[in-house]
Amino acid sequence: MAMTDKKGGSRKRTERRGNLITGYAGKWEPLFEKKAAARATAARVLSGVSEGVIRAKNTGGTVRVTYVIRSSDEEPEIEIEEITPQRDALDIALAAAKQRGSERVAEILKRPEMLSADEFADEIGSTRETVNKKRKRHEVLGLEGAKRGVRFPKWQIGDDGQLLGGLAQLFKALNGHPWAVYRFLLQKSGSLGGRTGLEMLRAGRIEEAVGAARSIGKGDFS
């Protein structure tokens, strides 16, 4: 009888353990499911970020990534939209001024006196390569636009075929900006007695012209 009771007790303990394990498994199963759902949601969120980054790179603009979660049992919906930056009055004015500047540059470079490198080289009896080297050394004035490339004003060549003297000094005085040199050469200046920089250089009055240009470069007057 003792052996029978012992065996019967073992069976009951085994059954209780089985029920206990089954009960624990039932309690942990929802938690495992929640973790799996959380991982899936995180993966979906990361994929949305990745899509947004790719869109921004491809368009060069700004995008907004929005996640819509309707319930814990559903995957989040992803909405990706491009954002048009708001421009204030100053931005609009600056953009308009830039556009006017571009149009003005194009208009200047279309003038008959604006020569290509090859045409300018023919005028001074040189080669295109030599002209470009002189431009880099600021020995000649070359003006660059968005569409027409570099153009060289013909008026920087004297009647004797010689290049205008003093250009390198003017470039240095005006911080190396070709368009600043161009404006100085053609714009009448009170400091030059109402003459242009071009007139002064042609007259051989290089030091006076460079002195006036140096004051402009320092911002002493406009």
Side-chain angles (χ1 to χ4, degrees):
M1 290 294 295
M3 292 297 293
T4 302
D5 290 341
K6 187 174 181 179
K7 290 181 179 179
S10 297
R11 283 196 299 272
K12 290 179 180 180
R13 285 194 296 273
T14 301
E15 290 175 359
R16 284 198 297 272
R17 283 197 298 270
N19 292 335
L20 184 61
I21 292 172
T22 302
Y24 277 132
K27 291 179 181 179
W28 284 103
E29 187 174 353
L31 181 59
F32 292 147
E33 291 178 353
K34 288 182 179 179
K35 288 185 176 181
R39 286 195 294 269
T41 299
R44 182 64 173 152
V45 168
L46 290 175
S47 70
V49 172
S50 178
E51 291 177 25
V53 170
I54 293 173
R55 176 83 66 86
K57 286 184 177 180
N58 289 339
T59 62
T62 302
V63 302
R64 178 188 289 119
V65 181
T66 304
Y67 299 93
V68 181
I69 302 176
R70 305 191 185 282
S71 73
S72 59
D73 297 331
E74 297 181 9
E75 288 189 357
E77 298 178 8
I78 299 177
E79 298 178 358
I80 301 176
E81 57 182 328
E82 295 183 23
I83 300 175
T84 301
Q86 298 295 321
R87 300 199 302 169
D88 57 21
L90 178 58
D91 291 331
I92 295 173
L94 290 174
K98 184 177 181 181
Q99 178 62 30
R100 289 194 299 271
S102 298
E103 292 173 355
R104 177 63 174 159
V105 166
E107 178 186 329
I108 290 173
L109 296 182
K110 286 192 297 184
R111 292 176 179 175
E113 71 269 19
M114 292 295 174
L115 307 179
S116 67
D118 289 327
E119 292 169 336
F120 194 84
D122 289 340
E123 290 289 335
I124 64 174
S126 183
T127 64
R128 176 190 181 92
E129 290 73 20
T130 298
V131 169
N132 285 323
K133 288 179 180 179
K134 287 181 176 294
R135 179 175 72 90
K136 292 178 181 179
R137 294 196 298 261
H138 293 160
E139 295 174 8
V140 298
L141 174 62
L143 301 170
E144 190 169 2
K147 297 181 179 180
R148 302 184 68 84
V150 181
R151 290 293 184 267
F152 300 85
K154 184 177 180 178
W155 42 251
Q156 62 186 310
I157 305 173
D159 294 335
D160 57 358
Q162 297 299 310
L163 293 172
L164 193 65
L167 279 180
Q169 294 96 310
L170 278 184
F171 267 98
K172 185 176 181 180
L174 294 170
N175 303 312
H177 297 302
W179 283 102
V181 172
Y182 172 82
R183 184 173 66 175
F184 177 81
L185 288 173
L186 298 188
Q187 184 173 284
K188 292 182 178 180
S189 172
S191 63
L192 296 176
R195 298 182 180 87
T196 66
L198 180 58
E199 290 172 334
M200 298 295 286
L201 293 185
R202 283 178 173 172
R205 299 168 68 175
I206 295 175
E207 289 300 324
E208 293 177 64
V210 172
R214 190 176 294 116
S215 296
I216 294 175
K218 292 179 179 178
D220 293 346
F221 63 89
S222 60

